[in-house]
Amino acid sequence: MTSPLPDPADKPLLRALSRQPTARPPFWFMRQAGRYLPEYRAIRAKVRDFVALCLTPELATEITLQPLRRFDMDAAILFADILLLPKALGQPLEFREGEGPVLAPIRDAAAVDRLDPGPMHERLAPVYETVRCVAAALGPDKTLIGFAGAPWTVATYMVEGHGGTDFATIKSWAWRDPGGFGRLIDRLVETTVAYLGAQIEAGAEAVQVFDTWAGALPADQFRRWCVAPLAEIVRRLRVRHPNVPVIGFPRGAAAMAPELVDATGIDAIGIDWSVDPRWAARRLQPRAAVQGNLDPRLLVVGGTPMREATEAILAALGHGPFVFNLGHGIVPETPPEHVQAVSEQVRSWRP
Ligand code: CP3
């Protein structure tokens, strides 16, 4: 006898993202695969080149599944990086130890025109293969999340050339030459739609768009470089994939979040730790599912502060459409036991 095909309607994460009731909030953690796990560090010790690791399906699949084995989250997030897309467009990328990503910066429209989307799918084929392998390995109640960076956030790395800047170069380009800078954003909108579409066709069941640096922009620039591009990405993805939920994560831009949800039609909105969960319940949950927002530092601290903050988030948001998560990624010094403790707390909570 063959077992029945998994019914997507039974997956807690997909239920929450489509605003259907769940017995308890589903959960996963941003950066749930990574350096805080000894089994990740063991693989990383053998493969020193982070990009090569992302582009080796066998290892990327194993790393994607590692956190679920320990903590049994409701979702796996593809192990990859938002900067694989600019690399696939031909921009040289390197991850240096202790320094993060370094790219050969793009600073004018002529350099934008040299980006070549032609070979992108061929170069990203190992990522799609990872998606297929993870999808085949996941349990029937688990959801596979694909992702990309938002155009603005990816552009910050492409233009500044590295992280940890004050966005001086990209901001002055955007203000002085919005037409030329807009070409870069448009190119990223197009290629992000193609990249996410290919992940979905390979088996991703939901996608998250990370706008880590959304909080760097004034309101009018946020509308132009974050809201409008995300609205276009959602619109184009829905043409081919109307039922795949999209999670937006505009970090540091909560005051603009209600407007962002209304203008883009995203299914869920990720909130960072600075957002009062009670505010999010009032202002965001009527519009979309909410995802967040434990301070990842509390996963390092542990104990009573971690437990109480988790309880407060669940109490404020757990009655509506909600996905428990962090306010940003897990940090490397996190003790895995603390991740275990929060996982158990969320799993046993009832609305
Ligand atoms: O588990 C997961 O969440 C999936 C994998 C994932 C990674 N990066 C793996 C990674 C995801 C979703 C990302 C997204 C990403 N990458 C973002 C957006 C979200 C965020 O965290 O703000 C950004 C801005 C990047 C770019 C990036 N990648 C930076 C700035 C760095 C260096 C900083 C750091 O944490 O080391 C990375 C490297 C990176 N991406 C690591 C991992 C596991 C660490 C690499 C290592 O093992 O040395």
PDB file of all heavy atoms in Angstrom, residues 19-55:
ATOM      1  N   ARG A  19      -3.327  32.107   7.102  1.00  0.00           N
ATOM      2  CA  ARG A  19      -4.229  32.628   8.142  1.00  0.00           C
ATOM      3  C   ARG A  19      -5.334  31.651   8.541  1.00  0.00           C
ATOM      4  O   ARG A  19      -6.453  32.038   8.829  1.00  0.00           O
ATOM      5  CB  ARG A  19      -4.827  33.963   7.681  1.00  0.00           C
ATOM      6  CG  ARG A  19      -3.751  35.002   7.478  1.00  0.00           C
ATOM      7  CD  ARG A  19      -4.316  36.394   7.555  1.00  0.00           C
ATOM      8  NE  ARG A  19      -4.317  37.056   6.260  1.00  0.00           N
ATOM      9  CZ  ARG A  19      -4.820  38.256   6.023  1.00  0.00           C
ATOM     10  NH1 ARG A  19      -5.401  38.915   6.995  1.00  0.00           N
ATOM     11  NH2 ARG A  19      -4.748  38.800   4.839  1.00  0.00           N
ATOM     12  N   GLN A  20      -4.998  30.349   8.529  1.00  0.00           N
ATOM     13  CA  GLN A  20      -5.927  29.363   9.067  1.00  0.00           C
ATOM     14  C   GLN A  20      -5.486  28.983  10.473  1.00  0.00           C
ATOM     15  O   GLN A  20      -4.306  29.064  10.799  1.00  0.00           O
ATOM     16  CB  GLN A  20      -5.938  28.123   8.173  1.00  0.00           C
ATOM     17  CG  GLN A  20      -6.561  28.379   6.814  1.00  0.00           C
ATOM     18  CD  GLN A  20      -6.226  27.270   5.844  1.00  0.00           C
ATOM     19  OE1 GLN A  20      -6.345  26.108   6.193  1.00  0.00           O
ATOM     20  NE2 GLN A  20      -5.778  27.635   4.672  1.00  0.00           N
ATOM     21  N   PRO A  21      -6.437  28.546  11.307  1.00  0.00           N
ATOM     22  CA  PRO A  21      -6.081  28.221  12.691  1.00  0.00           C
ATOM     23  C   PRO A  21      -5.120  27.037  12.789  1.00  0.00           C
ATOM     24  O   PRO A  21      -5.135  26.126  11.958  1.00  0.00           O
ATOM     25  CB  PRO A  21      -7.429  27.869  13.334  1.00  0.00           C
ATOM     26  CG  PRO A  21      -8.466  27.931  12.279  1.00  0.00           C
ATOM     27  CD  PRO A  21      -7.862  28.400  11.003  1.00  0.00           C
ATOM     28  N   THR A  22      -4.269  27.063  13.811  1.00  0.00           N
ATOM     29  CA  THR A  22      -3.345  25.960  14.081  1.00  0.00           C
ATOM     30  C   THR A  22      -3.468  25.619  15.569  1.00  0.00           C
ATOM     31  O   THR A  22      -3.833  26.476  16.374  1.00  0.00           O
ATOM     32  CB  THR A  22      -1.883  26.369  13.776  1.00  0.00           C
ATOM     33  OG1 THR A  22      -1.589  27.588  14.460  1.00  0.00           O
ATOM     34  CG2 THR A  22      -1.654  26.568  12.292  1.00  0.00           C
ATOM     35  N   ALA A  23      -3.148  24.371  15.934  1.00  0.00           N
ATOM     36  CA  ALA A  23      -3.268  23.945  17.335  1.00  0.00           C
ATOM     37  C   ALA A  23      -2.331  24.763  18.222  1.00  0.00           C
ATOM     38  O   ALA A  23      -2.626  25.079  19.362  1.00  0.00           O
ATOM     39  CB  ALA A  23      -2.961  22.463  17.448  1.00  0.00           C
ATOM     40  N   ARG A  24      -1.162  25.118  17.679  1.00  0.00           N
ATOM     41  CA  ARG A  24      -0.205  26.005  18.359  1.00  0.00           C
ATOM     42  C   ARG A  24       0.562  26.726  17.256  1.00  0.00           C
ATOM     43  O   ARG A  24       0.586  26.271  16.111  1.00  0.00           O
ATOM     44  CB  ARG A  24       0.754  25.203  19.240  1.00  0.00           C
ATOM     45  CG  ARG A  24       1.408  24.057  18.462  1.00  0.00           C
ATOM     46  CD  ARG A  24       2.863  23.874  18.750  1.00  0.00           C
ATOM     47  NE  ARG A  24       3.413  22.800  17.950  1.00  0.00           N
ATOM     48  CZ  ARG A  24       4.194  22.970  16.888  1.00  0.00           C
ATOM     49  NH1 ARG A  24       4.510  24.181  16.466  1.00  0.00           N
ATOM     50  NH2 ARG A  24       4.660  21.944  16.218  1.00  0.00           N
ATOM     51  N   PRO A  25       1.195  27.852  17.586  1.00  0.00           N
ATOM     52  CA  PRO A  25       1.929  28.549  16.532  1.00  0.00           C
ATOM     53  C   PRO A  25       3.071  27.688  15.997  1.00  0.00           C
ATOM     54  O   PRO A  25       3.826  27.102  16.779  1.00  0.00           O
ATOM     55  CB  PRO A  25       2.496  29.782  17.242  1.00  0.00           C
ATOM     56  CG  PRO A  25       1.709  29.932  18.499  1.00  0.00           C
ATOM     57  CD  PRO A  25       1.263  28.554  18.884  1.00  0.00           C
ATOM     58  N   PRO A  26       3.228  27.602  14.676  1.00  0.00           N
ATOM     59  CA  PRO A  26       4.408  26.937  14.127  1.00  0.00           C
ATOM     60  C   PRO A  26       5.646  27.798  14.393  1.00  0.00           C
ATOM     61  O   PRO A  26       5.521  28.990  14.680  1.00  0.00           O
ATOM     62  CB  PRO A  26       4.120  26.869  12.627  1.00  0.00           C
ATOM     63  CG  PRO A  26       3.123  27.954  12.366  1.00  0.00           C
ATOM     64  CD  PRO A  26       2.329  28.120  13.626  1.00  0.00           C
ATOM     65  N   PHE A  27       6.833  27.186  14.326  1.00  0.00           N
ATOM     66  CA  PHE A  27       8.050  27.963  14.579  1.00  0.00           C
ATOM     67  C   PHE A  27       9.217  27.493  13.723  1.00  0.00           C
ATOM     68  O   PHE A  27       9.289  26.336  13.314  1.00  0.00           O
ATOM     69  CB  PHE A  27       8.443  27.900  16.075  1.00  0.00           C
ATOM     70  CG  PHE A  27       8.981  26.556  16.501  1.00  0.00           C
ATOM     71  CD1 PHE A  27      10.354  26.340  16.630  1.00  0.00           C
ATOM     72  CD2 PHE A  27       8.131  25.492  16.760  1.00  0.00           C
ATOM     73  CE1 PHE A  27      10.859  25.089  17.015  1.00  0.00           C
ATOM     74  CE2 PHE A  27       8.625  24.239  17.143  1.00  0.00           C
ATOM     75  CZ  PHE A  27       9.989  24.033  17.264  1.00  0.00           C
ATOM     76  N   TRP A  28      10.110  28.420  13.446  1.00  0.00           N
ATOM     77  CA  TRP A  28      11.448  28.158  12.901  1.00  0.00           C
ATOM     78  C   TRP A  28      12.295  29.354  13.305  1.00  0.00           C
ATOM     79  O   TRP A  28      11.768  30.302  13.898  1.00  0.00           O
ATOM     80  CB  TRP A  28      11.411  27.949  11.376  1.00  0.00           C
ATOM     81  CG  TRP A  28      11.009  29.121  10.538  1.00  0.00           C
ATOM     82  CD1 TRP A  28       9.717  29.553  10.315  1.00  0.00           C
ATOM     83  CD2 TRP A  28      11.860  29.999   9.798  1.00  0.00           C
ATOM     84  NE1 TRP A  28       9.729  30.657   9.487  1.00  0.00           N
ATOM     85  CE2 TRP A  28      11.035  30.957   9.155  1.00  0.00           C
ATOM     86  CE3 TRP A  28      13.240  30.078   9.605  1.00  0.00           C
ATOM     87  CZ2 TRP A  28      11.532  31.985   8.343  1.00  0.00           C
ATOM     88  CZ3 TRP A  28      13.748  31.091   8.791  1.00  0.00           C
ATOM     89  CH2 TRP A  28      12.892  32.033   8.162  1.00  0.00           C
ATOM     90  N   PHE A  29      13.590  29.299  13.055  1.00  0.00           N
ATOM     91  CA  PHE A  29      14.472  30.389  13.465  1.00  0.00           C
ATOM     92  C   PHE A  29      15.314  30.859  12.287  1.00  0.00           C
ATOM     93  O   PHE A  29      15.925  30.025  11.596  1.00  0.00           O
ATOM     94  CB  PHE A  29      15.417  29.933  14.587  1.00  0.00           C
ATOM     95  CG  PHE A  29      14.705  29.427  15.812  1.00  0.00           C
ATOM     96  CD1 PHE A  29      14.708  28.073  16.129  1.00  0.00           C
ATOM     97  CD2 PHE A  29      14.016  30.297  16.650  1.00  0.00           C
ATOM     98  CE1 PHE A  29      14.049  27.600  17.259  1.00  0.00           C
ATOM     99  CE2 PHE A  29      13.353  29.832  17.784  1.00  0.00           C
ATOM    100  CZ  PHE A  29      13.374  28.484  18.090  1.00  0.00           C
ATOM    101  N   MET A  30      15.361  32.193  12.097  1.00  0.00           N
ATOM    102  CA  MET A  30      16.260  32.693  11.064  1.00  0.00           C
ATOM    103  C   MET A  30      17.690  32.273  11.416  1.00  0.00           C
ATOM    104  O   MET A  30      18.070  32.287  12.580  1.00  0.00           O
ATOM    105  CB  MET A  30      16.125  34.214  10.934  1.00  0.00           C
ATOM    106  CG  MET A  30      14.793  34.607  10.303  1.00  0.00           C
ATOM    107  SD  MET A  30      14.675  36.365   9.937  1.00  0.00           S
ATOM    108  CE  MET A  30      14.143  36.989  11.516  1.00  0.00           C
ATOM    109  N   ARG A  31      18.470  31.888  10.398  1.00  0.00           N
ATOM    110  CA  ARG A  31      19.827  31.348  10.570  1.00  0.00           C
ATOM    111  C   ARG A  31      19.843  30.121  11.484  1.00  0.00           C
ATOM    112  O   ARG A  31      20.752  29.953  12.294  1.00  0.00           O
ATOM    113  CB  ARG A  31      20.773  32.405  11.132  1.00  0.00           C
ATOM    114  CG  ARG A  31      21.124  33.514  10.175  1.00  0.00           C
ATOM    115  CD  ARG A  31      22.249  33.071   9.234  1.00  0.00           C
ATOM    116  NE  ARG A  31      22.540  34.099   8.263  1.00  0.00           N
ATOM    117  CZ  ARG A  31      23.538  34.995   8.383  1.00  0.00           C
ATOM    118  NH1 ARG A  31      24.316  34.961   9.419  1.00  0.00           N
ATOM    119  NH2 ARG A  31      23.720  35.871   7.447  1.00  0.00           N
ATOM    120  N   GLN A  32      18.814  29.268  11.319  1.00  0.00           N
ATOM    121  CA  GLN A  32      18.764  28.085  12.188  1.00  0.00           C
ATOM    122  C   GLN A  32      19.861  27.085  11.853  1.00  0.00           C
ATOM    123  O   GLN A  32      20.218  26.246  12.686  1.00  0.00           O
ATOM    124  CB  GLN A  32      17.375  27.439  12.145  1.00  0.00           C
ATOM    125  CG  GLN A  32      16.940  26.863  10.814  1.00  0.00           C
ATOM    126  CD  GLN A  32      15.467  26.466  10.826  1.00  0.00           C
ATOM    127  OE1 GLN A  32      14.670  26.941  11.630  1.00  0.00           O
ATOM    128  NE2 GLN A  32      15.069  25.569   9.927  1.00  0.00           N
ATOM    129  N   ALA A  33      20.367  27.147  10.638  1.00  0.00           N
ATOM    130  CA  ALA A  33      21.534  26.341  10.271  1.00  0.00           C
ATOM    131  C   ALA A  33      22.747  27.260  10.345  1.00  0.00           C
ATOM    132  O   ALA A  33      22.720  28.336   9.779  1.00  0.00           O
ATOM    133  CB  ALA A  33      21.372  25.806   8.847  1.00  0.00           C
ATOM    134  N   GLY A  34      23.755  26.876  11.055  1.00  0.00           N
ATOM    135  CA  GLY A  34      24.909  27.771  11.115  1.00  0.00           C
ATOM    136  C   GLY A  34      25.869  27.462  12.241  1.00  0.00           C
ATOM    137  O   GLY A  34      25.814  26.380  12.842  1.00  0.00           O
ATOM    138  N   ARG A  35      26.712  28.453  12.514  1.00  0.00           N
ATOM    139  CA  ARG A  35      27.897  28.216  13.348  1.00  0.00           C
ATOM    140  C   ARG A  35      27.641  27.855  14.800  1.00  0.00           C
ATOM    141  O   ARG A  35      28.543  27.367  15.478  1.00  0.00           O
ATOM    142  CB  ARG A  35      28.822  29.436  13.271  1.00  0.00           C
ATOM    143  CG  ARG A  35      29.538  29.537  11.944  1.00  0.00           C
ATOM    144  CD  ARG A  35      30.103  30.918  11.726  1.00  0.00           C
ATOM    145  NE  ARG A  35      29.015  31.878  11.594  1.00  0.00           N
ATOM    146  CZ  ARG A  35      29.190  33.176  11.327  1.00  0.00           C
ATOM    147  NH1 ARG A  35      30.403  33.661  11.203  1.00  0.00           N
ATOM    148  NH2 ARG A  35      28.149  33.963  11.202  1.00  0.00           N
ATOM    149  N   TYR A  36      26.412  28.080  15.341  1.00  0.00           N
ATOM    150  CA  TYR A  36      26.154  27.709  16.733  1.00  0.00           C
ATOM    151  C   TYR A  36      26.037  26.187  16.865  1.00  0.00           C
ATOM    152  O   TYR A  36      26.081  25.661  17.980  1.00  0.00           O
ATOM    153  CB  TYR A  36      24.894  28.413  17.268  1.00  0.00           C
ATOM    154  CG  TYR A  36      23.609  27.812  16.744  1.00  0.00           C
ATOM    155  CD1 TYR A  36      22.794  27.022  17.566  1.00  0.00           C
ATOM    156  CD2 TYR A  36      23.218  27.983  15.415  1.00  0.00           C
ATOM    157  CE1 TYR A  36      21.635  26.439  17.087  1.00  0.00           C
ATOM    158  CE2 TYR A  36      22.067  27.394  14.924  1.00  0.00           C
ATOM    159  CZ  TYR A  36      21.279  26.623  15.763  1.00  0.00           C
ATOM    160  OH  TYR A  36      20.147  26.032  15.283  1.00  0.00           O
ATOM    161  N   LEU A  37      25.903  25.482  15.747  1.00  0.00           N
ATOM    162  CA  LEU A  37      25.765  24.013  15.784  1.00  0.00           C
ATOM    163  C   LEU A  37      27.116  23.338  15.545  1.00  0.00           C
ATOM    164  O   LEU A  37      27.747  23.558  14.501  1.00  0.00           O
ATOM    165  CB  LEU A  37      24.782  23.529  14.708  1.00  0.00           C
ATOM    166  CG  LEU A  37      23.296  23.805  14.943  1.00  0.00           C
ATOM    167  CD1 LEU A  37      22.479  23.309  13.735  1.00  0.00           C
ATOM    168  CD2 LEU A  37      22.806  23.134  16.237  1.00  0.00           C
ATOM    169  N   PRO A  38      27.559  22.486  16.484  1.00  0.00           N
ATOM    170  CA  PRO A  38      28.849  21.800  16.282  1.00  0.00           C
ATOM    171  C   PRO A  38      28.879  20.975  14.996  1.00  0.00           C
ATOM    172  O   PRO A  38      29.932  20.904  14.340  1.00  0.00           O
ATOM    173  CB  PRO A  38      28.977  20.889  17.513  1.00  0.00           C
ATOM    174  CG  PRO A  38      27.818  21.171  18.403  1.00  0.00           C
ATOM    175  CD  PRO A  38      26.950  22.203  17.783  1.00  0.00           C
ATOM    176  N   GLU A  39      27.745  20.394  14.617  1.00  0.00           N
ATOM    177  CA  GLU A  39      27.741  19.563  13.402  1.00  0.00           C
ATOM    178  C   GLU A  39      27.908  20.426  12.145  1.00  0.00           C
ATOM    179  O   GLU A  39      28.432  19.973  11.126  1.00  0.00           O
ATOM    180  CB  GLU A  39      26.497  18.657  13.322  1.00  0.00           C
ATOM    181  CG  GLU A  39      25.137  19.335  13.382  1.00  0.00           C
ATOM    182  CD  GLU A  39      24.592  19.521  14.804  1.00  0.00           C
ATOM    183  OE1 GLU A  39      25.408  19.766  15.735  1.00  0.00           O
ATOM    184  OE2 GLU A  39      23.364  19.455  14.987  1.00  0.00           O
ATOM    185  N   TYR A  40      27.467  21.708  12.203  1.00  0.00           N
ATOM    186  CA  TYR A  40      27.741  22.639  11.095  1.00  0.00           C
ATOM    187  C   TYR A  40      29.228  22.976  11.080  1.00  0.00           C
ATOM    188  O   TYR A  40      29.873  22.945  10.038  1.00  0.00           O
ATOM    189  CB  TYR A  40      26.899  23.916  11.233  1.00  0.00           C
ATOM    190  CG  TYR A  40      27.268  24.991  10.222  1.00  0.00           C
ATOM    191  CD1 TYR A  40      26.761  24.955   8.929  1.00  0.00           C
ATOM    192  CD2 TYR A  40      28.143  26.028  10.550  1.00  0.00           C
ATOM    193  CE1 TYR A  40      27.107  25.920   7.985  1.00  0.00           C
ATOM    194  CE2 TYR A  40      28.494  27.003   9.618  1.00  0.00           C
ATOM    195  CZ  TYR A  40      27.969  26.945   8.333  1.00  0.00           C
ATOM    196  OH  TYR A  40      28.322  27.905   7.420  1.00  0.00           O
ATOM    197  N   ARG A  41      29.773  23.284  12.267  1.00  0.00           N
ATOM    198  CA  ARG A  41      31.193  23.668  12.326  1.00  0.00           C
ATOM    199  C   ARG A  41      32.090  22.538  11.833  1.00  0.00           C
ATOM    200  O   ARG A  41      33.136  22.779  11.229  1.00  0.00           O
ATOM    201  CB  ARG A  41      31.576  24.094  13.743  1.00  0.00           C
ATOM    202  CG  ARG A  41      30.887  25.395  14.189  1.00  0.00           C
ATOM    203  CD  ARG A  41      31.580  26.007  15.402  1.00  0.00           C
ATOM    204  NE  ARG A  41      31.592  25.115  16.563  1.00  0.00           N
ATOM    205  CZ  ARG A  41      30.642  25.080  17.498  1.00  0.00           C
ATOM    206  NH1 ARG A  41      29.586  25.885  17.422  1.00  0.00           N
ATOM    207  NH2 ARG A  41      30.727  24.240  18.509  1.00  0.00           N
ATOM    208  N   ALA A  42      31.662  21.302  12.053  1.00  0.00           N
ATOM    209  CA  ALA A  42      32.463  20.163  11.594  1.00  0.00           C
ATOM    210  C   ALA A  42      32.543  20.150  10.067  1.00  0.00           C
ATOM    211  O   ALA A  42      33.615  19.911   9.493  1.00  0.00           O
ATOM    212  CB  ALA A  42      31.866  18.853  12.120  1.00  0.00           C
ATOM    213  N   ILE A  43      31.434  20.431   9.398  1.00  0.00           N
ATOM    214  CA  ILE A  43      31.452  20.470   7.929  1.00  0.00           C
ATOM    215  C   ILE A  43      32.263  21.674   7.455  1.00  0.00           C
ATOM    216  O   ILE A  43      33.086  21.578   6.542  1.00  0.00           O
ATOM    217  CB  ILE A  43      30.012  20.542   7.364  1.00  0.00           C
ATOM    218  CG1 ILE A  43      29.265  19.242   7.689  1.00  0.00           C
ATOM    219  CG2 ILE A  43      30.037  20.801   5.853  1.00  0.00           C
ATOM    220  CD1 ILE A  43      27.838  19.202   7.195  1.00  0.00           C
ATOM    221  N   ARG A  44      32.054  22.800   8.139  1.00  0.00           N
ATOM    222  CA  ARG A  44      32.711  24.052   7.775  1.00  0.00           C
ATOM    223  C   ARG A  44      34.236  23.954   7.913  1.00  0.00           C
ATOM    224  O   ARG A  44      34.965  24.589   7.149  1.00  0.00           O
ATOM    225  CB  ARG A  44      32.163  25.125   8.717  1.00  0.00           C
ATOM    226  CG  ARG A  44      32.358  26.523   8.333  1.00  0.00           C
ATOM    227  CD  ARG A  44      31.481  26.907   7.171  1.00  0.00           C
ATOM    228  NE  ARG A  44      31.712  28.327   6.897  1.00  0.00           N
ATOM    229  CZ  ARG A  44      32.782  28.791   6.267  1.00  0.00           C
ATOM    230  NH1 ARG A  44      33.672  27.952   5.780  1.00  0.00           N
ATOM    231  NH2 ARG A  44      32.951  30.079   6.093  1.00  0.00           N
ATOM    232  N   ALA A  45      34.687  23.121   8.889  1.00  0.00           N
ATOM    233  CA  ALA A  45      36.133  22.962   9.087  1.00  0.00           C
ATOM    234  C   ALA A  45      36.768  22.283   7.881  1.00  0.00           C
ATOM    235  O   ALA A  45      37.942  22.488   7.583  1.00  0.00           O
ATOM    236  CB  ALA A  45      36.399  22.161  10.361  1.00  0.00           C
ATOM    237  N   LYS A  46      35.959  21.469   7.175  1.00  0.00           N
ATOM    238  CA  LYS A  46      36.483  20.755   6.010  1.00  0.00           C
ATOM    239  C   LYS A  46      36.348  21.577   4.733  1.00  0.00           C
ATOM    240  O   LYS A  46      37.169  21.468   3.830  1.00  0.00           O
ATOM    241  CB  LYS A  46      35.765  19.410   5.850  1.00  0.00           C
ATOM    242  CG  LYS A  46      36.279  18.366   6.855  1.00  0.00           C
ATOM    243  CD  LYS A  46      35.613  17.019   6.648  1.00  0.00           C
ATOM    244  CE  LYS A  46      34.601  16.771   7.740  1.00  0.00           C
ATOM    245  NZ  LYS A  46      33.647  15.713   7.491  1.00  0.00           N
ATOM    246  N   VAL A  47      35.261  22.374   4.647  1.00  0.00           N
ATOM    247  CA  VAL A  47      35.050  23.200   3.454  1.00  0.00           C
ATOM    248  C   VAL A  47      35.200  24.664   3.853  1.00  0.00           C
ATOM    249  O   VAL A  47      34.292  25.268   4.395  1.00  0.00           O
ATOM    250  CB  VAL A  47      33.644  22.949   2.839  1.00  0.00           C
ATOM    251  CG1 VAL A  47      33.472  23.740   1.558  1.00  0.00           C
ATOM    252  CG2 VAL A  47      33.433  21.472   2.591  1.00  0.00           C
ATOM    253  N   ARG A  48      36.359  25.234   3.614  1.00  0.00           N
ATOM    254  CA  ARG A  48      36.647  26.591   4.090  1.00  0.00           C
ATOM    255  C   ARG A  48      35.980  27.666   3.250  1.00  0.00           C
ATOM    256  O   ARG A  48      35.786  28.775   3.707  1.00  0.00           O
ATOM    257  CB  ARG A  48      38.173  26.838   4.116  1.00  0.00           C
ATOM    258  CG  ARG A  48      38.937  25.784   4.893  1.00  0.00           C
ATOM    259  CD  ARG A  48      38.424  25.675   6.325  1.00  0.00           C
ATOM    260  NE  ARG A  48      38.762  26.855   7.116  1.00  0.00           N
ATOM    261  CZ  ARG A  48      39.808  26.937   7.922  1.00  0.00           C
ATOM    262  NH1 ARG A  48      40.589  25.899   8.079  1.00  0.00           N
ATOM    263  NH2 ARG A  48      40.042  28.031   8.587  1.00  0.00           N
ATOM    264  N   ASP A  49      35.641  27.324   2.020  1.00  0.00           N
ATOM    265  CA  ASP A  49      35.040  28.292   1.103  1.00  0.00           C
ATOM    266  C   ASP A  49      33.511  28.241   1.253  1.00  0.00           C
ATOM    267  O   ASP A  49      32.860  27.300   0.826  1.00  0.00           O
ATOM    268  CB  ASP A  49      35.471  27.930  -0.327  1.00  0.00           C
ATOM    269  CG  ASP A  49      34.897  28.876  -1.366  1.00  0.00           C
ATOM    270  OD1 ASP A  49      33.981  29.659  -1.046  1.00  0.00           O
ATOM    271  OD2 ASP A  49      35.361  28.823  -2.517  1.00  0.00           O
ATOM    272  N   PHE A  50      32.951  29.310   1.876  1.00  0.00           N
ATOM    273  CA  PHE A  50      31.519  29.334   2.181  1.00  0.00           C
ATOM    274  C   PHE A  50      30.657  29.249   0.919  1.00  0.00           C
ATOM    275  O   PHE A  50      29.643  28.557   0.892  1.00  0.00           O
ATOM    276  CB  PHE A  50      31.182  30.593   2.992  1.00  0.00           C
ATOM    277  CG  PHE A  50      29.728  30.770   3.255  1.00  0.00           C
ATOM    278  CD1 PHE A  50      29.050  29.929   4.137  1.00  0.00           C
ATOM    279  CD2 PHE A  50      29.014  31.780   2.630  1.00  0.00           C
ATOM    280  CE1 PHE A  50      27.692  30.081   4.379  1.00  0.00           C
ATOM    281  CE2 PHE A  50      27.655  31.949   2.873  1.00  0.00           C
ATOM    282  CZ  PHE A  50      26.993  31.101   3.742  1.00  0.00           C
ATOM    283  N   VAL A  51      31.070  29.934  -0.146  1.00  0.00           N
ATOM    284  CA  VAL A  51      30.285  29.899  -1.388  1.00  0.00           C
ATOM    285  C   VAL A  51      30.278  28.479  -1.958  1.00  0.00           C
ATOM    286  O   VAL A  51      29.229  27.968  -2.382  1.00  0.00           O
ATOM    287  CB  VAL A  51      30.826  30.914  -2.424  1.00  0.00           C
ATOM    288  CG1 VAL A  51      30.123  30.753  -3.764  1.00  0.00           C
ATOM    289  CG2 VAL A  51      30.667  32.345  -1.902  1.00  0.00           C
ATOM    290  N   ALA A  52      31.435  27.833  -1.926  1.00  0.00           N
ATOM    291  CA  ALA A  52      31.514  26.446  -2.422  1.00  0.00           C
ATOM    292  C   ALA A  52      30.586  25.540  -1.617  1.00  0.00           C
ATOM    293  O   ALA A  52      29.922  24.649  -2.164  1.00  0.00           O
ATOM    294  CB  ALA A  52      32.955  25.945  -2.350  1.00  0.00           C
ATOM    295  N   LEU A  53      30.517  25.803  -0.308  1.00  0.00           N
ATOM    296  CA  LEU A  53      29.637  25.009   0.553  1.00  0.00           C
ATOM    297  C   LEU A  53      28.178  25.177   0.117  1.00  0.00           C
ATOM    298  O   LEU A  53      27.430  24.201  -0.028  1.00  0.00           O
ATOM    299  CB  LEU A  53      29.827  25.477   2.006  1.00  0.00           C
ATOM    300  CG  LEU A  53      29.143  24.717   3.113  1.00  0.00           C
ATOM    301  CD1 LEU A  53      29.559  23.256   3.103  1.00  0.00           C
ATOM    302  CD2 LEU A  53      29.486  25.349   4.470  1.00  0.00           C
ATOM    303  N   CYS A  54      27.772  26.433  -0.106  1.00  0.00           N
ATOM    304  CA  CYS A  54      26.396  26.710  -0.549  1.00  0.00           C
ATOM    305  C   CYS A  54      26.093  26.032  -1.884  1.00  0.00           C
ATOM    306  O   CYS A  54      24.946  25.690  -2.174  1.00  0.00           O
ATOM    307  CB  CYS A  54      26.160  28.212  -0.712  1.00  0.00           C
ATOM    308  SG  CYS A  54      26.187  29.144   0.828  1.00  0.00           S
ATOM    309  N   LEU A  55      27.132  25.852  -2.728  1.00  0.00           N
ATOM    310  CA  LEU A  55      26.914  25.324  -4.074  1.00  0.00           C
ATOM    311  C   LEU A  55      27.233  23.830  -4.179  1.00  0.00           C
ATOM    312  O   LEU A  55      27.402  23.300  -5.267  1.00  0.00           O
ATOM    313  CB  LEU A  55      27.736  26.135  -5.093  1.00  0.00           C
ATOM    314  CG  LEU A  55      27.320  27.620  -5.220  1.00  0.00           C
ATOM    315  CD1 LEU A  55      28.236  28.365  -6.192  1.00  0.00           C
ATOM    316  CD2 LEU A  55      25.857  27.771  -5.645  1.00  0.00           C
TER     317      LEU A  55
END
